[in-house]
């Protein structure tokens, strides 16, 4: 257990999740301190996506507790809405709304959920498009943008809701190599501004330079969690070593 | 219900006529579809032009009108020819059964043309190249490699075409084919129970369509069996 | 035996007179049918078993029987019931025009509901998740994400359905109405020149089909700006 001080903004306590008979999470516990960046890695099917999707209730956990910024995730719609306001999410496949332009993608949720005016929403959206360095693409449709640009729009779209926490599920694995950097740069800037982040990624360079904590998952369990220096230098478990051996070869 | 029982015999015969029309038209539909698809994919601009005209016209003209053109048109033509031979002839026509079967096969054949064309293009070129590289002749390639993969692709749409065919048979009463709508017409004039009689017709059609849907579903499972195993 | 172009030329104006009725039937049934279809598809995706099942059975029946039979059940069949003949509805239901509108609308509703359902199923699941993650409510996700995309995805099939309906309207010539086909049949009965007259009618239908295709093409471009790179 990391002996980090500071209050945890996310608490997972013995969380379990099964799909039919298959147990995807077998009692996962994790504390995320406010402002920390957590990188989650592990082999395919190990439950990484399932874990972070439970945090904003895209999946419903079956057992254990999940508390986000003091709000416990239960069946209560009110709590779910409250948690979703706190938590932004970026997907591997971007999931931009194809029928809306970049700026409209950003404006939709603020207008519908936070009920701000169209004009305000547009100003807000432009501000965030600038933060991800593509204000000039505002009026293009997603299909007209490169993968890296799309992912940056998706990040900005989440930021528009002013979340306290950002979840990233393999944000760069659908991207061509030359676009990965532009997205990681934006994420790095976000990290510097103090955002709490959980990032599922196999970009170990990013983990080394940005993460406060690296979590390794396998077969629905957290096998190991440690600060990056320790994690990469002295992995304790054989499974972690085997995994690192594999991905660092590339 | 009693009235229906009296007419049950007639409805059964009518249903048999529907089935006969269906199977005859089905064969022709496949023939037109294959010819049409080959023409659309051929190198000859004329063949392509004719096939395009065929599908455009038949998919844009009411089924009823096609039926009337085929039946009355052919009758005028045949009568004209017959008069050249024997001026005393009054009226020669293709039997309604055949005119009707042909007409609906023309219509659905236009849709089948597109389906077969798509299925043909859907088979990966690499498959054909692999077969040719193995030394199969073009004909062998077609029958052993292309066709077996084509029908799997064509099946779902072709199921819809079969449903169209069976439902289009309802039009044939207009030219006097004694199918179930025709029976219901007659039964109505005798019994004054139109709702009951046409309801029977609807139920019979629903039965036929259900059988087609089920059959196609079974065939689809069979056609895709090699994909199941891969999972 | 020869094809007389002059006859085509003479009969075209009369046939075009029937076009008014054809278009009226087409547009009215389409509007009513599409509205019904939206209701049906909402039932289909409501998650309420009774509604889903009812909508499914409705769709199955109307797609599984010929439109001619549906028309005849309404036009010839309803008169069998005294209750209907005595009710105020009879004012409408004894008119072939309203019978046709009713039959066509019910029929179009079934097919269009299936088309829309297909469109809704075609919307990427990831977009729902993105909507949920952003905090949009179920109805907001449906209205602002699912519906616009589903409509775009449904347009080509909907276009075919309109053409299908156009062709179906020819059936009213069997219940004493003078639409394009009805007019053509009366002229043929007089001239006995089926090729010339029916082909003229077919030409009129083909023009309408072409117009519909153009319209749908425009709509696709309008609703589908986002698809192009
Ligand atoms: N909706 C679902 N229904 C059934 N099984 C699921 C579902 N979602 C995930 N699973 C299963 O749960 C397990 C964990 O999936 P998860 O997506 O969390 O893995 P992951 O670690 O994110 O893998 P990847 O690196 O491939 O994204 C997998 O075995 C997967 O098959
Ligand atoms: Mg994953």
């Amino acid at each position: 257990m990391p002996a980090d001080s500071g209050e945890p903004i996310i608490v997972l306590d013995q969380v379990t999740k099964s799909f039919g008979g298959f147990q995807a999470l077998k009692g996962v516990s994790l504390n995320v301190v406010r402002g920390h960046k957590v990188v989650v890695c592990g082999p395919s099917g190990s439950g990484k996506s399932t874990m972070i999707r439970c945090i904003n209730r895209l999946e419903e956990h079956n057992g254990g507790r999940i508390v986000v910024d003091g709000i416990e995730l239960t069946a209560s719609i009110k709590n779910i809405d409250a948690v979703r306001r706190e938590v932004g999410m970026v997907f591997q496949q971007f999931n931009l709304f194809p029928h809306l332009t970049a700026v409209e993608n950003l404006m939709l949720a603020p207008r519908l959920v936070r009920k701000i005016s169209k004009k305000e929403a547009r100003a807000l959206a432009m501000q965030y498009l600038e933060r991800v360095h593509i204000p000039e693409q505002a009026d293009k449709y997603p299909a007209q943008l490169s993968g890296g640009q799309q992912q940056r729009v998706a990040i900005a779209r989440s930021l528009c809701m002013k979340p306290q926490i950002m979840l990233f599920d393999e944000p760069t694995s659908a991207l061509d190599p030359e676009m990965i950097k532009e997205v990681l740069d934006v994420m790095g800037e976000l990290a510097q501004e103090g955002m709490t982040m959980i990032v599922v990624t196999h970009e170990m360079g990013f983990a080394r330079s940005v993460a406060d904590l690296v979590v390794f998952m396998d077969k629905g369990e957290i096998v190991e969690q440690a600060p990056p220096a320790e994690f990469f230098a002295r992995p304790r478990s054989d499974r972690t070593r085997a995994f690192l051996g594999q991905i660092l070869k590339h | 219900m009693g009235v229906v029982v009296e007419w049950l015999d007639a409805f059964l015969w009518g249903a048999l006529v529907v089935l006969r029309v269906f199977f005859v038209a089905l064969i022709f539909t496949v023939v037109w579809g294959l010819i049409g698809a080959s023409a659309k994919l051929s190198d000859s601009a004329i063949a392509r032009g004719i096939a395009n005209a065929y599908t455009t016209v038949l998919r844009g003209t009411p089924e009823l009108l096609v039926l009337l053109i085929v039946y009355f048109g052919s009758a005028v033509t045949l009568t004209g020819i017959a008069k050249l031979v024997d001026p005393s002839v009054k009226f020669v026509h293709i039997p309604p059964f055949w005119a009707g079967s042909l007409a609906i096969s023309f219509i659905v054949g236009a849709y089948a043309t597109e389906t077969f064309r798509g299925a043909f293009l859907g088979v990966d070129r690499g498959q054909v190249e692999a077969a040719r590289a193995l030394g199969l002749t073009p004909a062998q390639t077609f029958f052993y490699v292309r066709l077996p993969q084509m029908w799997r692709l064509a099946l779902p749409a072709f199921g819809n075409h079969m449903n169209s065919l069976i439902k289009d048979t309802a039009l044939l009463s207009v030219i006097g084919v004694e199918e179930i709508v025709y029976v219901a017409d007659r039964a109505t004039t005798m019994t004054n129970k139109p709702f009951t009689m046409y309801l029977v017709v609807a139920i019979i059609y629903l039965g036929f369509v259900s059988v087609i849907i089920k059959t196609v579903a079974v065939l689809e499972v069979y056609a895709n069996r090699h994909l199941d195993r891969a999972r | 035996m020869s094809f007389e172009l002059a006859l085509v030329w003479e009969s075209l104006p009369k046939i075009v007179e029937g076009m008014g009725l054809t278009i009226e039937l087409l547009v009215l049934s389409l509007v009513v049918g599409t509205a019904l279809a939206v209701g049906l598809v909402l039932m289909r995706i409501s998650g309420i078993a009774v509604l889903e099942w009812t909508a499914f059975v409705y769709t199955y029946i109307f797609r599984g029987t010929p439109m001619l039979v549906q028309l005849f059940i309404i036009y010839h069949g309803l008169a069998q019931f005294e209750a209907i003949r005595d009710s105020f509805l009879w004012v409408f239901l004894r008119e072939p025009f309203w019978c046709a509108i009713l039959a066509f609308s019910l029929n179009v509703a079934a097919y269009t509901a299936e088309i829309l359902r297909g469109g809704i199923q075609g919307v990427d699941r990831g977009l729902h998740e993105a909507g949920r993650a952003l905090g949009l409510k179920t109805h907001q996700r449906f209205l602002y994400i699912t519906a616009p995309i589903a409509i775009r995805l449904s347009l080509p099939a909907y276009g075919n359905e309109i053409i299908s309906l156009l062709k179906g309207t020819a059936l009213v010539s069997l219940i004493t109405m003078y639409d394009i086909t009805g007019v053509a049949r009366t002229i043929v009965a007089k001239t006995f020149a089926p090729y010339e007259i029916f082909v003229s009618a077919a030409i009129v239908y083909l023009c309408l089909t072409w117009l519909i295709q153009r319209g749908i093409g425009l709509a696709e471009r309008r609703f589908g700006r986002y698809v192009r790179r």
Side-chain angles (χ1 to χ4, degrees), chain A residues 53 56-58 81 84 87 89 91 95-99 108-109 112-113 115 141 143-144 157-158 161, chain C residues 124-137 140-141 144-145 148-149 225-229:
Chain A
R53 289 159 60 86
N56 70 345
R57 255 298 161 121
L58 288 183
D81 283 347
R84 290 208 179 124
V87 181
M89 181 152 188
F91 302 84
N95 291 344
L96 289 179
F97 305 129
H99 60 302
L108 187 71
L112 294 179
V113 181
K115 315 275 180 209
Y141 288 100
Q144 299 163 327
R157 178 176 70 178
S158 284
M161 295 302 287
Chain C
D124 191 347
R125 273 195 60 219
L127 301 181
H128 278 277
E129 296 192 340
R132 277 204 284 165
L134 287 167
L136 303 191
K137 301 236 180 321
Q140 291 174 325
R141 291 200 302 272
Y144 293 93
I145 301 171
I149 299 173
R225 276 171 310 200
Y226 62 85
V227 188
R228 273 164 304 141
R229 298 203 137 251

Side-chain angles (χ1 to χ4, degrees), chain C residues 1 3 52 54 58 63 81 85 89-90 119 136 148 150 165 177 183 211 223 229:
Chain C
M1 216 182 102
F3 192 92
E52 281 177 15
T54 312
Y58 175 93
R63 289 176 6 122
F81 303 104
R85 269 181 284 135
L89 282 174
W90 191 239
L136 303 191
L165 174 62
M177 291 173 77
V183 172
L211 277 176
F223 286 99
R229 298 203 137 251

Side-chain angles (χ1 to χ4, degrees), chain C residues 3 15-16 18 21-22 34 36 38 40 53 60 63 73 93-94 100 103 121 125 131 154 173-174 194 196 208 211 220:
Chain C
F3 192 92
I15 288 172
V16 168
L21 179 57
T22 296
T34 304
L36 289 176
V38 171
L40 275 174
W53 190 81
Y60 192 84
R63 289 176 6 122
I73 286 185
L93 290 177
R94 66 164 184 232
Q121 281 174 341
R125 273 195 60 219
S154 305
S173 68
L174 302 176
E196 288 84 345
L208 290 175
L211 277 176
E220 273 178 49

